[in-house]
Amino acid sequence: TIKGAIFRSDHPEPLPYKGQQSAPHGTTVADIILTLAPRVKLFSADVFGTQGGCEVANVIRAMHYCVDVWQCKIVNLSLGVPEHRLQQLAKRLQLLRAVEEAYSKDVLVFAAAHNEHPLTRSYPAVFSPPLFSVDKGLFDNPLDFSYRPHESIEFQAHARGYVGPFAREPATSWATPHLAGIAARLLSLKPDLKPFELKTLLYWIFRAKDQSMTQVKVSEQT
């Protein structure tokens, strides 16, 4: 059973969730997380509606609800607002404060880079220090990822889903829940990890594997 709520800009309070996503996008994201971390307790914050988009204020409301009401340890944001659509400094700061508030409460926020990154940058992924910014990549093993800071984006994860009409098309929306699912598995071993500790752990896991692969290649050449 997945608990959830529907967030609409024309309603001050969240509407009841009836178990049906407003678009296939959320179903693919949920399936990726449950595939990698089947024992998670999943909540659905539906912010898109029938229009396939939402206002920044709606995302902020949903984030506060995830942190304060549901008390989620991980928040997956497979969405982004391009820079040219978030020119208002006040809204940008409000979004940053929501991310920083989650960070201060030891909540791990994963945000998708724009699919055309770095040609197009988007928020909140560019707020990389207090959150996990994720770009798309293709890996043989969906549990693999890479740490390669590039234009404020730190991580790459597997960018294909498993169900849904667009799941096979590589996208940052699918990469982000892959990394979130990996983080959930690590948290199941040590639930009190803070965001910066989890980010450091992911970095060292990638570094150790990268060095191991380099040694294998050198051995093959010799």
Side-chain angles (χ1 to χ4, degrees):
T1 301
I2 298 176
K3 294 184 179 180
I6 301 172
F7 297 86
R8 297 289 180 266
S9 56
D10 54 347
H11 286 82
E13 296 296 327
L15 299 175
Y17 175 70
K18 299 180 180 179
Q20 178 66 44
Q21 298 292 336
S22 60
H25 181 275
T27 302
T28 302
V29 169
D31 179 74
I32 291 171
I33 294 175
L34 290 173
T35 297
L36 269 65
R39 298 177 63 184
V40 299
K41 185 176 182 180
L42 199 63
F43 296 86
S44 174
D46 191 331
V47 298
F48 287 114
T50 58
Q51 301 301 315
C54 67
E55 297 294 327
V56 173
N58 219 24
V59 176
I60 294 173
R61 287 175 55 216
M63 287 183 62
H64 285 310
Y65 203 86
C66 290
V67 173
D68 298 328
V69 178
W70 291 334
Q71 297 185 335
C72 296
K73 184 67 176 177
I74 294 176
V75 175
N76 181 87
L77 296 174
S78 287
L79 53 82
V81 183
E83 278 186 309
H84 67 272
R85 291 182 51 195
L86 196 58
Q87 293 297 322
Q88 293 182 337
L89 181 60
K91 287 187 177 182
R92 198 181 304 177
L93 290 176
Q94 288 173 355
L95 183 57
L96 175 59
R97 289 193 187 102
V99 172
E100 289 177 335
E101 183 177 333
Y103 179 87
S104 69
K105 295 179 179 179
D106 294 338
V107 176
L108 284 64
V109 178
F110 292 79
H114 196 279
N115 275 314
E116 296 178 0
H117 183 84
L119 297 178
T120 301
R121 304 193 335 151
S122 63
Y123 294 95
V126 295
F127 297 145
S128 55
L131 54 70
F132 297 76
S133 50
V134 190
D135 201 353
K136 58 185 176 181
L138 293 176
F139 299 85
D140 294 333
N141 186 342
L143 288 173
D144 284 343
F145 61 91
S146 66
Y147 180 86
R148 291 172 182 167
H150 182 53
E151 295 288 338
S152 300
I153 306 302
E154 294 180 297
F155 292 94
Q156 277 188 329
H158 190 58
R160 284 200 173 111
Y162 311 105
V163 298
F166 308 109
R168 302 307 298 169
E169 183 69 25
T172 58
S173 283
W174 318 145
T176 305
H178 271 96
L179 195 65
I182 293 169
R185 292 169 69 115
L186 294 172
L187 283 177
S188 70
L189 301 175
K190 190 170 177 54
D192 60 344
L193 283 172
K194 294 182 177 295
F196 75 91
E197 292 176 318
L198 198 287
K199 185 178 287 192
T200 303
L201 182 57
L202 289 173
Y203 166 73
W204 282 110
I205 290 173
F206 165 72
R207 179 118 184 243
K209 185 168 184 177
D210 191 47
Q211 289 178 341
S212 176
M213 292 301 295
T214 300
Q215 291 173 355
V216 169
K217 291 179 181 178
V218 171
S219 298
E220 290 176 348
Q221 290 173 357
T222 56

